[in-house]
Short mmCIF file of all heavy atoms in Angstrom, two decimals:
data_model
loop_
_atom_site.label_atom_id
_atom_site.label_comp_id
_atom_site.label_asym_id
_atom_site.label_seq_id
_atom_site.Cartn_x
_atom_site.Cartn_y
_atom_site.Cartn_z
N ALA A 1 -60.65 45.62 4.82
CA ALA A 1 -61.75 45.32 5.76
C ALA A 1 -62.09 46.57 6.57
O ALA A 1 -63.27 46.90 6.75
CB ALA A 1 -61.35 44.17 6.66
N TYR A 2 -61.07 47.27 7.02
CA TYR A 2 -61.28 48.48 7.82
C TYR A 2 -62.05 49.55 7.04
O TYR A 2 -63.06 50.07 7.52
CB TYR A 2 -59.93 49.01 8.30
CG TYR A 2 -60.04 50.32 9.02
CD1 TYR A 2 -60.47 50.37 10.35
CD2 TYR A 2 -59.74 51.52 8.38
CE1 TYR A 2 -60.59 51.58 11.02
CE2 TYR A 2 -59.86 52.73 9.03
CZ TYR A 2 -60.29 52.76 10.35
OH TYR A 2 -60.41 53.95 11.00
N ILE A 3 -61.58 49.89 5.84
CA ILE A 3 -62.23 50.99 5.12
C ILE A 3 -63.63 50.63 4.63
O ILE A 3 -64.44 51.51 4.37
CB ILE A 3 -61.38 51.54 3.95
CG1 ILE A 3 -61.13 50.49 2.89
CG2 ILE A 3 -60.08 52.13 4.46
CD1 ILE A 3 -60.36 51.00 1.67
N ASN A 4 -63.93 49.33 4.54
CA ASN A 4 -65.25 48.89 4.09
C ASN A 4 -66.14 48.41 5.24
O ASN A 4 -67.22 47.87 5.00
CB ASN A 4 -65.11 47.81 3.03
CG ASN A 4 -64.57 48.38 1.74
OD1 ASN A 4 -65.21 49.22 1.10
ND2 ASN A 4 -63.37 47.97 1.35
N ASN A 5 -65.66 48.60 6.47
CA ASN A 5 -66.41 48.19 7.66
C ASN A 5 -66.82 46.72 7.61
O ASN A 5 -67.97 46.36 7.84
CB ASN A 5 -67.64 49.10 7.87
CG ASN A 5 -68.21 48.96 9.27
OD1 ASN A 5 -67.47 48.72 10.22
ND2 ASN A 5 -69.52 49.10 9.38
N LYS A 6 -65.85 45.87 7.28
CA LYS A 6 -66.07 44.42 7.22
C LYS A 6 -65.15 43.72 8.22
O LYS A 6 -64.11 44.26 8.60
CB LYS A 6 -65.75 43.88 5.81
CG LYS A 6 -66.54 44.53 4.69
CD LYS A 6 -68.01 44.21 4.75
CE LYS A 6 -68.74 44.84 3.55
NZ LYS A 6 -70.15 44.55 3.55
N ALA A 7 -65.53 42.54 8.61
CA ALA A 7 -64.67 41.73 9.47
C ALA A 7 -63.51 41.18 8.65
O ALA A 7 -63.60 41.05 7.43
CB ALA A 7 -65.47 40.58 10.07
N PHE A 8 -62.41 40.88 9.34
CA PHE A 8 -61.25 40.28 8.70
C PHE A 8 -60.96 38.94 9.37
O PHE A 8 -60.91 38.84 10.59
CB PHE A 8 -60.02 41.18 8.83
CG PHE A 8 -58.79 40.56 8.21
CD1 PHE A 8 -58.59 40.62 6.85
CD2 PHE A 8 -57.88 39.88 8.99
CE1 PHE A 8 -57.49 40.03 6.26
CE2 PHE A 8 -56.76 39.29 8.42
CZ PHE A 8 -56.57 39.36 7.06
N VAL A 9 -60.78 37.91 8.54
CA VAL A 9 -60.49 36.56 9.03
C VAL A 9 -59.12 36.13 8.50
O VAL A 9 -58.91 36.12 7.29
CB VAL A 9 -61.57 35.56 8.56
CG1 VAL A 9 -61.20 34.14 8.91
CG2 VAL A 9 -62.92 35.93 9.15
N PRO A 10 -58.19 35.78 9.40
CA PRO A 10 -56.89 35.29 8.93
C PRO A 10 -56.94 33.82 8.53
O PRO A 10 -57.53 32.99 9.24
CB PRO A 10 -55.98 35.50 10.14
CG PRO A 10 -56.89 35.44 11.32
CD PRO A 10 -58.23 35.94 10.85
N VAL A 11 -56.36 33.53 7.38
CA VAL A 11 -56.16 32.15 6.93
C VAL A 11 -54.68 31.88 7.17
O VAL A 11 -53.83 32.48 6.51
CB VAL A 11 -56.53 31.97 5.45
CG1 VAL A 11 -56.31 30.52 5.01
CG2 VAL A 11 -57.97 32.40 5.20
N ARG A 12 -54.38 30.97 8.13
CA ARG A 12 -53.01 30.83 8.61
C ARG A 12 -52.40 29.49 8.26
O ARG A 12 -53.10 28.53 7.95
CB ARG A 12 -52.96 30.95 10.14
CG ARG A 12 -53.53 32.20 10.71
CD ARG A 12 -52.59 33.32 11.06
NE ARG A 12 -51.19 33.15 11.08
CZ ARG A 12 -50.42 33.37 12.13
NH1 ARG A 12 -50.96 33.70 13.30
NH2 ARG A 12 -49.12 33.29 12.03
N LYS A 13 -51.08 29.43 8.36
CA LYS A 13 -50.38 28.17 8.23
C LYS A 13 -50.75 27.29 9.42
O LYS A 13 -51.06 27.80 10.50
CB LYS A 13 -48.87 28.42 8.20
CG LYS A 13 -48.43 29.16 6.97
CD LYS A 13 -46.96 29.51 7.02
CE LYS A 13 -46.60 30.30 5.78
NZ LYS A 13 -45.30 30.95 5.89
N LYS A 14 -50.71 26.00 9.22
CA LYS A 14 -51.11 25.04 10.24
C LYS A 14 -50.35 25.28 11.55
O LYS A 14 -49.15 25.53 11.56
CB LYS A 14 -50.83 23.61 9.75
CG LYS A 14 -51.30 22.53 10.71
CD LYS A 14 -51.09 21.15 10.11
CE LYS A 14 -51.40 20.06 11.09
NZ LYS A 14 -52.81 19.81 11.25
N GLY A 15 -51.12 25.22 12.64
CA GLY A 15 -50.54 25.32 13.97
C GLY A 15 -50.41 26.72 14.53
O GLY A 15 -49.87 26.91 15.61
N LYS A 16 -50.93 27.74 13.84
CA LYS A 16 -50.76 29.13 14.28
C LYS A 16 -52.01 29.71 14.93
O LYS A 16 -51.93 30.77 15.54
CB LYS A 16 -50.37 30.02 13.10
CG LYS A 16 -49.09 29.61 12.41
CD LYS A 16 -47.91 29.89 13.28
CE LYS A 16 -46.62 29.59 12.53
NZ LYS A 16 -45.45 29.80 13.38
N LEU A 17 -53.16 29.06 14.80
CA LEU A 17 -54.40 29.59 15.35
C LEU A 17 -54.73 28.89 16.67
O LEU A 17 -54.61 27.67 16.77
CB LEU A 17 -55.55 29.43 14.35
CG LEU A 17 -55.43 30.27 13.08
CD1 LEU A 17 -56.49 29.87 12.06
CD2 LEU A 17 -55.53 31.75 13.41
N PRO A 18 -55.19 29.64 17.68
CA PRO A 18 -55.37 29.07 19.01
C PRO A 18 -56.67 28.30 19.26
O PRO A 18 -56.71 27.45 20.15
CB PRO A 18 -55.30 30.29 19.93
CG PRO A 18 -55.83 31.41 19.08
CD PRO A 18 -55.35 31.09 17.68
N ARG A 19 -57.71 28.60 18.51
CA ARG A 19 -58.99 27.92 18.75
C ARG A 19 -59.15 26.75 17.79
O ARG A 19 -58.28 26.48 16.97
CB ARG A 19 -60.15 28.92 18.59
CG ARG A 19 -60.05 30.10 19.55
CD ARG A 19 -61.31 30.96 19.59
NE ARG A 19 -61.88 31.32 18.31
CZ ARG A 19 -61.59 32.43 17.63
NH1 ARG A 19 -60.70 33.29 18.09
NH2 ARG A 19 -62.18 32.68 16.48
N GLU A 20 -60.29 26.08 17.88
CA GLU A 20 -60.55 24.93 17.01
C GLU A 20 -60.56 25.39 15.55
O GLU A 20 -61.13 26.43 15.22
CB GLU A 20 -61.89 24.29 17.38
CG GLU A 20 -62.15 22.99 16.66
CD GLU A 20 -63.44 22.32 17.10
OE1 GLU A 20 -64.15 22.84 17.99
OE2 GLU A 20 -63.74 21.26 16.52
N THR A 21 -59.93 24.60 14.69
CA THR A 21 -59.77 24.99 13.29
C THR A 21 -60.26 23.90 12.35
O THR A 21 -60.48 22.76 12.75
CB THR A 21 -58.29 25.26 12.96
OG1 THR A 21 -57.55 24.06 13.16
CG2 THR A 21 -57.71 26.37 13.81
N VAL A 22 -60.40 24.29 11.09
CA VAL A 22 -60.52 23.35 9.98
C VAL A 22 -59.31 23.61 9.10
O VAL A 22 -58.78 24.72 9.08
CB VAL A 22 -61.85 23.50 9.19
CG1 VAL A 22 -63.04 23.10 10.04
CG2 VAL A 22 -62.02 24.91 8.65
N GLU A 23 -58.85 22.58 8.40
CA GLU A 23 -57.65 22.72 7.61
C GLU A 23 -57.82 22.14 6.22
O GLU A 23 -58.67 21.29 5.98
CB GLU A 23 -56.46 22.06 8.30
CG GLU A 23 -56.57 20.55 8.43
CD GLU A 23 -55.36 19.93 9.13
OE1 GLU A 23 -54.96 20.42 10.19
OE2 GLU A 23 -54.84 18.93 8.59
N ALA A 24 -56.98 22.63 5.32
CA ALA A 24 -56.94 22.12 3.95
C ALA A 24 -55.48 22.12 3.51
O ALA A 24 -54.73 23.04 3.81
CB ALA A 24 -57.77 22.99 3.01
N SER A 25 -55.10 21.08 2.78
CA SER A 25 -53.74 20.97 2.27
C SER A 25 -53.74 21.21 0.77
O SER A 25 -54.75 20.99 0.09
CB SER A 25 -53.17 19.59 2.58
OG SER A 25 -53.04 19.42 3.97
N TYR A 26 -52.60 21.65 0.27
CA TYR A 26 -52.45 21.91 -1.16
C TYR A 26 -51.02 21.61 -1.55
O TYR A 26 -50.12 21.56 -0.70
CB TYR A 26 -52.85 23.34 -1.51
CG TYR A 26 -52.07 24.40 -0.79
CD1 TYR A 26 -50.97 25.03 -1.38
CD2 TYR A 26 -52.41 24.77 0.51
CE1 TYR A 26 -50.25 25.99 -0.72
CE2 TYR A 26 -51.68 25.74 1.18
CZ TYR A 26 -50.61 26.34 0.56
OH TYR A 26 -49.89 27.30 1.23
N ASP A 27 -50.82 21.41 -2.84
CA ASP A 27 -49.49 21.05 -3.35
C ASP A 27 -48.63 22.28 -3.59
O ASP A 27 -49.10 23.30 -4.08
CB ASP A 27 -49.62 20.25 -4.66
CG ASP A 27 -50.21 18.87 -4.43
OD1 ASP A 27 -49.96 18.29 -3.36
OD2 ASP A 27 -50.92 18.39 -5.33
N LEU A 28 -47.37 22.11 -3.25
CA LEU A 28 -46.34 23.08 -3.57
C LEU A 28 -45.45 22.47 -4.64
O LEU A 28 -45.59 21.28 -4.97
CB LEU A 28 -45.49 23.40 -2.34
CG LEU A 28 -46.23 24.00 -1.15
CD1 LEU A 28 -45.32 24.00 0.08
CD2 LEU A 28 -46.64 25.43 -1.48
N GLU A 29 -44.50 23.24 -5.11
CA GLU A 29 -43.58 22.72 -6.13
C GLU A 29 -42.84 21.49 -5.60
O GLU A 29 -42.63 20.52 -6.31
CB GLU A 29 -42.59 23.81 -6.54
CG GLU A 29 -41.74 23.42 -7.73
CD GLU A 29 -40.87 24.57 -8.21
OE1 GLU A 29 -41.00 25.70 -7.70
OE2 GLU A 29 -40.05 24.33 -9.11
N TYR A 30 -42.44 21.55 -4.34
CA TYR A 30 -41.71 20.42 -3.73
C TYR A 30 -42.37 20.04 -2.42
O TYR A 30 -41.84 20.30 -1.35
CB TYR A 30 -40.24 20.80 -3.47
CG TYR A 30 -39.50 21.20 -4.71
CD1 TYR A 30 -39.20 22.52 -4.97
CD2 TYR A 30 -39.12 20.24 -5.65
CE1 TYR A 30 -38.53 22.89 -6.12
CE2 TYR A 30 -38.45 20.60 -6.80
CZ TYR A 30 -38.15 21.92 -7.03
OH TYR A 30 -37.49 22.27 -8.18
N GLY A 31 -43.55 19.45 -2.47
CA GLY A 31 -44.20 19.00 -1.25
C GLY A 31 -45.61 19.52 -1.12
O GLY A 31 -46.28 19.80 -2.12
N GLN A 32 -46.04 19.65 0.14
CA GLN A 32 -47.38 20.11 0.45
C GLN A 32 -47.34 21.13 1.56
O GLN A 32 -46.38 21.20 2.32
CB GLN A 32 -48.25 18.92 0.92
CG GLN A 32 -49.03 18.25 -0.17
CD GLN A 32 -50.18 17.43 0.41
OE1 GLN A 32 -50.17 17.03 1.56
NE2 GLN A 32 -51.18 17.20 -0.41
N ALA A 33 -48.39 21.91 1.67
CA ALA A 33 -48.57 22.85 2.78
C ALA A 33 -50.01 22.74 3.25
O ALA A 33 -50.88 22.24 2.53
CB ALA A 33 -48.26 24.27 2.33
N THR A 34 -50.24 23.18 4.46
CA THR A 34 -51.57 23.14 5.05
C THR A 34 -51.90 24.50 5.63
O THR A 34 -51.07 25.13 6.28
CB THR A 34 -51.64 22.06 6.15
OG1 THR A 34 -51.30 20.79 5.59
CG2 THR A 34 -53.03 21.97 6.75
N ILE A 35 -53.13 24.95 5.37
CA ILE A 35 -53.63 26.20 5.95
C ILE A 35 -54.84 25.88 6.80
O ILE A 35 -55.50 24.85 6.62
CB ILE A 35 -53.96 27.26 4.88
CG1 ILE A 35 -54.95 26.72 3.85
CG2 ILE A 35 -52.70 27.79 4.24
CD1 ILE A 35 -55.44 27.76 2.84
N GLU A 36 -55.13 26.80 7.72
CA GLU A 36 -56.24 26.62 8.64
C GLU A 36 -57.01 27.92 8.80
O GLU A 36 -56.49 29.00 8.54
CB GLU A 36 -55.73 26.22 10.04
CG GLU A 36 -55.01 24.92 10.11
CD GLU A 36 -54.52 24.61 11.51
OE1 GLU A 36 -53.99 25.53 12.19
OE2 GLU A 36 -54.65 23.46 11.92
N ILE A 37 -58.23 27.75 9.28
CA ILE A 37 -59.08 28.88 9.63
C ILE A 37 -59.84 28.46 10.89
O ILE A 37 -60.11 27.27 11.09
CB ILE A 37 -60.03 29.23 8.46
CG1 ILE A 37 -60.70 30.57 8.64
CG2 ILE A 37 -61.04 28.17 8.22
CD1 ILE A 37 -61.41 31.07 7.41
N HIS A 38 -60.15 29.43 11.76
CA HIS A 38 -60.94 29.09 12.94
C HIS A 38 -62.30 28.55 12.51
O HIS A 38 -62.92 29.09 11.58
CB HIS A 38 -61.16 30.32 13.83
CG HIS A 38 -59.99 30.62 14.71
ND1 HIS A 38 -59.45 31.87 14.80
CD2 HIS A 38 -59.27 29.84 15.55
CE1 HIS A 38 -58.45 31.85 15.65
NE2 HIS A 38 -58.31 30.63 16.11
N LYS A 39 -62.72 27.52 13.18
CA LYS A 39 -63.97 26.84 12.83
C LYS A 39 -65.18 27.77 12.96
O LYS A 39 -66.17 27.60 12.25
CB LYS A 39 -64.14 25.61 13.72
CG LYS A 39 -65.14 24.63 13.23
CD LYS A 39 -65.11 23.36 14.07
CE LYS A 39 -65.97 22.29 13.45
NZ LYS A 39 -65.91 21.04 14.21
N ASP A 40 -65.10 28.75 13.85
CA ASP A 40 -66.23 29.67 14.06
C ASP A 40 -66.06 31.02 13.34
O ASP A 40 -66.82 31.95 13.56
CB ASP A 40 -66.44 29.90 15.55
CG ASP A 40 -65.24 30.54 16.25
OD1 ASP A 40 -64.18 30.71 15.60
OD2 ASP A 40 -65.36 30.85 17.45
N ALA A 41 -65.06 31.13 12.46
CA ALA A 41 -64.77 32.41 11.81
C ALA A 41 -65.77 32.78 10.74
O ALA A 41 -65.99 33.96 10.47
CB ALA A 41 -63.36 32.37 11.21
#
């Protein structure tokens, strides 16, 4: 992002982002995980 002068948006594990988020869950080998992104990102 830096060398191409672009913004960078983190896609985080659930519960790690401080502002309002949207989330999506996906399957793991033994269970599920959820990731989030800021709603305004």
Side-chain angles (χ1 to χ4, degrees):
Y2 175 78
I3 62 176
N4 290 296
N5 196 32
K6 303 293 183 179
F8 178 80
V9 173
V11 180
R12 304 263 349 238
K13 294 175 182 166
K14 184 176 174 78
K16 301 289 185 183
L17 293 171
R19 301 191 314 268
E20 188 176 359
T21 62
V22 293
E23 66 180 48
S25 295
Y26 58 98
D27 291 327
L28 299 169
E29 189 174 353
Y30 301 105
Q32 268 199 337
T34 302
I35 55 174
E36 297 179 317
I37 193 169
H38 280 130
K39 197 173 189 178
D40 61 355

